[in-house]
Amino acid sequence: MTRAALAGLLGAASVLGLGCGPALTVERAYDGTVVEGRFVDPEAYASFLRGAIAEAGGHPVDALAAYGEAARRDPSGPEPWARIGDVRCRADPRDRHADEALDHALELDPGYAPGWAMKARCALSRGDTPGARAAAARAASLDPGADGANVLLARTGSGVPREATRDVLVALTVTARDPVVAWDALASWGEAHGDVALWARALRELVRLVPARRETIARAAEELAGAGNIAEAWGVAAAAVDADARPLAGGHPLAARLAVDEALSRCDAVALRRRATRARLPLEEAAARALLAGQPALARELATEVVRADPGARGARLVLAASGPGGDVLGAVGDAREEDAPSSAAALVVFGVALAHATAPAQARATLAALAHEAIVDGDDRVTRPAVELVSRGVLGPDVLPADGAVELAALRGEAPAEGAPSPDPLRLDLRHEYLALSLSHPDAPRVRALAQTLGRNGAADPVVAAAAALVQLAVGAPIPPEMPRALLARNAADPLLAATALRLAERVGDPDVARRAREALMTLGRATPPRPAL
């Protein structure tokens, strides 16, 4: 494995690129690609905001009038209709107009989880337990967090809103007399209209105003990451951690790591240390993440600080050995002691990458298997994706991978489950990896179509979603545009999942040039053999 391949593997692990760049603005950008939802009339939102404030103030008649005005100005938006139904039902559970409004909201967007939650609450208030259970189950299936906070379960709509429009919506919110209610309203509006940036902005403001909501907002950050909205997930997680000096009560290990990654994206070592401390994240984990993000100098600085305080910190010593220059990879293994604390999964992975460069895969695997380490956190792309590559090359054992990593490994190898195998448990996978798993096992399932619609706008940017969409097309025999393999490979040839998928597409459409370059990319990354050409 060449040093270029080593850098490529570490580069593939850095979700938004290597090294330190300008601060993220967290404006509706997916890995550098701007994605927009449909146009929204600012006057419609102004009416909706008046309704939310009236509802919070205990004035249902005024709330209904304002929500009705919002619905007239924005007839395709589900949120005003859902609020109308909710307010009516709370005033009179037998009001048939409540059902009509809720049903209309869900006709506009069957994937709008808060609407199903409101429908469940209404059914329960009138004693319809079966109806409440069915609606609540639908809401939970759309939003596993069960808090209405999964923005990609709202529809994306069509059209492109102008930046000036978003500025107007924010201005209306900022000047409202009740800021908490106003930002709540904007969060609901952004969710219902598929505006990830607007929704994330509202969450960041809400957690600043009401730190008691940190748990819910941290979970929302994890869901955003699971749907491929990494920049927004970083910003929301960072806001949740920064809102209070105390650690998040629910733990939220993924949110903690996302908050640290946000600081890494800005090369802000001060914020990184503060968030690692608040989130109870070991500094050696932060050092390893810095190396995975392409910041070896910061990685060495952090790891050195840990080793000086605790010479027995095995994970930090592994990071130092892997970060170079002058790192003694094999020596770092030789001085390991049984009493050393287990290393973080991130430290194991960065050390595994360096060890694979220094020795044969079989020896590297035996060495790594002897190192005690923590488990990889579900949904942690920064660690999971390079771990999948190491497993595919025989450097790590497959048991190190979490559920989402196992799905990526199967896709990388072109392994379809045996006939009759059950569908993956969506509770163990985020939305992207559920989509990828189903592309291998049940590509024609209705759930696949729903996920394609939910994630489709982000598929042009997120590698897992892009690979899943291509694999579905391959599996169901859909026409493959001739330019598709080349475009997929051009996105990032250093990403083994994209390269492997591009190879399969190229072989299907008969593009020998792309097939050759995809094979070369995979061999450069250290793959012993390219993946099987078809599923």
Side-chain angles (χ1 to χ4, degrees), residues 33 82 368 503 518:
T33 301
L368 294 172
L503 173 58

Side-chain angles (χ1 to χ4, degrees), residues 401-417:
L401 296 176
D404 50 350
V407 170
E408 286 199 35
L409 180 66
L412 186 58
R413 290 175 169 172
E415 296 174 350

Side-chain angles (χ1 to χ4, degrees), residues 301-391:
E301 176 186 336
L302 296 171
T304 299
E305 181 179 327
V306 175
V307 171
R308 284 174 179 167
D310 178 11
R314 176 187 294 175
R317 298 202 310 272
L318 296 180
V319 173
L320 284 175
S323 62
D328 182 2
V329 178
L330 297 178
V333 177
D335 65 1
R337 301 171 301 182
E338 290 186 5
E339 63 270 23
D340 289 347
S343 69
S344 68
L348 177 81
V349 169
V350 293
F351 183 72
V353 172
L355 191 62
H357 173 65
T359 188
Q363 182 180 350
R365 180 165 178 165
T367 300
L368 294 172
L371 295 175
H373 61 87
E374 304 291 345
I376 299 176
V377 171
D378 287 334
D380 187 2
D381 272 20
R382 178 146 279 167
V383 177
T384 298
R385 304 210 70 219
V388 169
E389 169 64 7
L390 291 175
V391 172

Side-chain angles (χ1 to χ4, degrees), residues 64-166:
L64 286 174
Y67 287 147
E69 178 64 22
R72 285 189 292 275
R73 291 183 178 277
D74 182 34
S76 58
E79 177 67 1
W81 288 105
R83 290 292 187 101
I84 289 170
D86 191 46
V87 171
R88 282 188 171 277
C89 190
R90 282 190 279 114
D92 179 6
R94 295 178 297 277
D95 185 349
R96 63 180 179 85
H97 296 300
D99 292 321
E100 292 171 356
L102 288 167
D103 289 344
H104 185 60
L106 296 172
E107 287 172 3
L108 291 171
D109 182 6
Y112 184 46
W116 287 103
M118 293 178 197
K119 188 176 180 68
R121 184 164 59 238
C122 185
L124 191 63
S125 69
R126 62 170 61 114
D128 179 10
T129 302
R133 184 182 298 112
R138 182 66 182 274
S141 69
L142 291 168
D143 179 3
D147 61 358
N150 188 346
V151 66
L152 287 186
L153 295 174
R155 69 187 179 85
T156 55
S158 60
V160 179
R162 298 166 297 197
E163 287 301 318
T165 301
R166 183 180 294 131

Side-chain angles (χ1 to χ4, degrees), residues 114 143-150 191 215-217 219-220 223:
D143 179 3
D147 61 358
N150 188 346
E191 178 180 5
E215 308 299 322
T216 296
I217 292 175
R219 185 165 63 246
E223 292 172 353

Side-chain angles (χ1 to χ4, degrees), residues 240-266:
V241 171
D242 289 347
D244 196 302
R246 294 169 294 183
L248 291 164
H252 297 286
L254 180 57
R257 286 156 174 79
L258 293 169
V260 166
D261 287 347
E262 192 280 335
L264 279 172
S265 73
R266 298 182 291 104

Side-chain angles (χ1 to χ4, degrees), residues 404-507:
D404 50 350
V407 170
E408 286 199 35
L409 180 66
L412 186 58
R413 290 175 169 172
E415 296 174 350
E419 186 175 353
S423 299
D425 181 0
L427 296 179
R428 297 189 59 201
L429 300 171
D430 58 33
L431 292 182
R432 295 173 302 148
H433 289 91
E434 183 188 357
Y435 187 28
L436 184 62
L438 288 171
S439 75
L440 302 174
S441 61
H442 299 78
D444 55 353
R447 177 62 174 166
V448 171
R449 293 189 289 275
L451 287 168
Q453 182 177 4
T454 297
L455 299 170
R457 293 301 297 273
N458 194 29
D462 184 79
V464 177
V465 175
L471 293 175
V472 168
Q473 288 186 264
L474 282 169
V476 302
I480 305 296
E483 68 279 4
M484 189 175 179
R486 189 176 302 274
L488 200 64
L489 186 64
R491 285 170 41 87
N492 186 2
D495 187 314
L497 181 59
L498 290 177
T501 306
L503 173 58
R504 295 183 188 116
L505 291 173
E507 291 178 331

